[in-house]
mmCIF file of all heavy atoms in Angstrom:
data_model
loop_
_atom_site.group_PDB
_atom_site.id
_atom_site.type_symbol
_atom_site.label_atom_id
_atom_site.label_comp_id
_atom_site.label_asym_id
_atom_site.label_seq_id
_atom_site.Cartn_x
_atom_site.Cartn_y
_atom_site.Cartn_z
ATOM 1 N N GLY K 344 -30.455 20.066 -49.575
ATOM 2 C CA GLY K 344 -30.516 18.768 -50.225
ATOM 3 C C GLY K 344 -29.616 17.743 -49.609
ATOM 4 O O GLY K 344 -29.271 16.714 -50.238
ATOM 5 N N GLY K 346 -30.186 16.165 -46.565
ATOM 6 C CA GLY K 346 -30.870 15.195 -45.698
ATOM 7 C C GLY K 346 -31.307 15.676 -44.394
ATOM 8 O O GLY K 346 -31.683 14.894 -43.480
ATOM 9 N N LYS K 347 -31.308 16.996 -44.183
ATOM 10 C CA LYS K 347 -31.720 17.546 -42.843
ATOM 11 C C LYS K 347 -33.216 17.239 -42.540
ATOM 12 O O LYS K 347 -33.589 16.702 -41.501
ATOM 13 C CB LYS K 347 -31.493 19.045 -42.735
ATOM 14 C CG LYS K 347 -30.050 19.444 -42.930
ATOM 15 C CD LYS K 347 -29.831 20.913 -42.778
ATOM 16 C CE LYS K 347 -30.623 21.738 -43.805
ATOM 17 N NZ LYS K 347 -30.132 21.578 -45.181
ATOM 18 N N THR K 348 -34.029 17.557 -43.523
ATOM 19 C CA THR K 348 -35.460 17.290 -43.348
ATOM 20 C C THR K 348 -35.722 15.844 -43.194
ATOM 21 O O THR K 348 -36.523 15.344 -42.315
ATOM 22 C CB THR K 348 -36.277 17.890 -44.546
ATOM 23 O OG1 THR K 348 -36.020 19.288 -44.580
ATOM 24 C CG2 THR K 348 -37.716 17.650 -44.411
ATOM 25 N N HIS K 349 -35.017 15.038 -43.965
ATOM 26 C CA HIS K 349 -35.165 13.605 -43.918
ATOM 27 C C HIS K 349 -34.873 13.112 -42.469
ATOM 28 O O HIS K 349 -35.654 12.365 -41.874
ATOM 29 C CB HIS K 349 -34.185 12.918 -44.917
ATOM 30 C CG HIS K 349 -34.393 11.475 -45.074
ATOM 31 N ND1 HIS K 349 -34.445 10.870 -46.317
ATOM 32 C CD2 HIS K 349 -34.582 10.497 -44.199
ATOM 33 C CE1 HIS K 349 -34.620 9.553 -46.180
ATOM 34 N NE2 HIS K 349 -34.685 9.306 -44.853
ATOM 35 N N TYR K 369 -44.009 18.633 -36.208
ATOM 36 C CA TYR K 369 -42.991 19.050 -37.211
ATOM 37 C C TYR K 369 -43.488 20.370 -37.853
ATOM 38 O O TYR K 369 -44.593 20.396 -38.339
ATOM 39 C CB TYR K 369 -42.797 17.997 -38.264
ATOM 40 C CG TYR K 369 -41.981 18.477 -39.444
ATOM 41 C CD1 TYR K 369 -40.610 18.370 -39.454
ATOM 42 C CD2 TYR K 369 -42.668 19.054 -40.538
ATOM 43 C CE1 TYR K 369 -39.910 18.883 -40.516
ATOM 44 C CE2 TYR K 369 -41.929 19.535 -41.605
ATOM 45 C CZ TYR K 369 -40.536 19.447 -41.626
ATOM 46 O OH TYR K 369 -39.832 19.935 -42.674
ATOM 47 N N ASP K 404 -37.839 22.942 -38.715
ATOM 48 C CA ASP K 404 -37.004 22.827 -39.887
ATOM 49 C C ASP K 404 -36.606 24.243 -40.401
ATOM 50 O O ASP K 404 -37.459 25.171 -40.356
ATOM 51 C CB ASP K 404 -37.762 22.097 -40.995
ATOM 52 C CG ASP K 404 -36.866 21.289 -41.884
ATOM 53 O OD1 ASP K 404 -35.609 21.428 -41.753
ATOM 54 O OD2 ASP K 404 -37.393 20.438 -42.655
ATOM 55 N N ASP K 405 -35.388 24.407 -40.837
ATOM 56 C CA ASP K 405 -34.913 25.676 -41.452
ATOM 57 C C ASP K 405 -35.053 26.859 -40.539
ATOM 58 O O ASP K 405 -35.599 27.892 -40.941
ATOM 59 C CB ASP K 405 -35.593 25.880 -42.745
ATOM 60 C CG ASP K 405 -35.174 24.897 -43.831
ATOM 61 O OD1 ASP K 405 -33.940 24.573 -43.859
ATOM 62 O OD2 ASP K 405 -36.010 24.392 -44.569
ATOM 63 N N SER K 436 -33.235 22.260 -37.437
ATOM 64 C CA SER K 436 -32.328 22.218 -38.551
ATOM 65 C C SER K 436 -32.064 23.652 -39.076
ATOM 66 O O SER K 436 -32.880 24.543 -38.817
ATOM 67 C CB SER K 436 -32.911 21.393 -39.686
ATOM 68 O OG SER K 436 -33.703 22.206 -40.511
ATOM 69 N N ARG K 503 -30.364 15.712 -53.202
ATOM 70 C CA ARG K 503 -31.567 16.037 -53.964
ATOM 71 C C ARG K 503 -31.259 16.037 -55.457
ATOM 72 O O ARG K 503 -32.016 15.533 -56.238
ATOM 73 C CB ARG K 503 -32.093 17.392 -53.491
ATOM 74 C CG ARG K 503 -33.432 17.751 -54.100
ATOM 75 C CD ARG K 503 -34.006 18.983 -53.511
ATOM 76 N NE ARG K 503 -34.300 18.808 -52.083
ATOM 77 C CZ ARG K 503 -34.212 19.837 -51.222
ATOM 78 N NH1 ARG K 503 -33.797 21.014 -51.579
ATOM 79 N NH2 ARG K 503 -34.466 19.632 -49.895
HETATM 80 MG MG1 MG F 932 -35.045 20.663 -45.668
#
Side-chain angles (χ1 to χ4, degrees):
K347 300 183 298 294
T348 300
H349 190 134
Y369 167 87
D404 215 349
D405 291 320
S436 87
R503 188 174 296 146

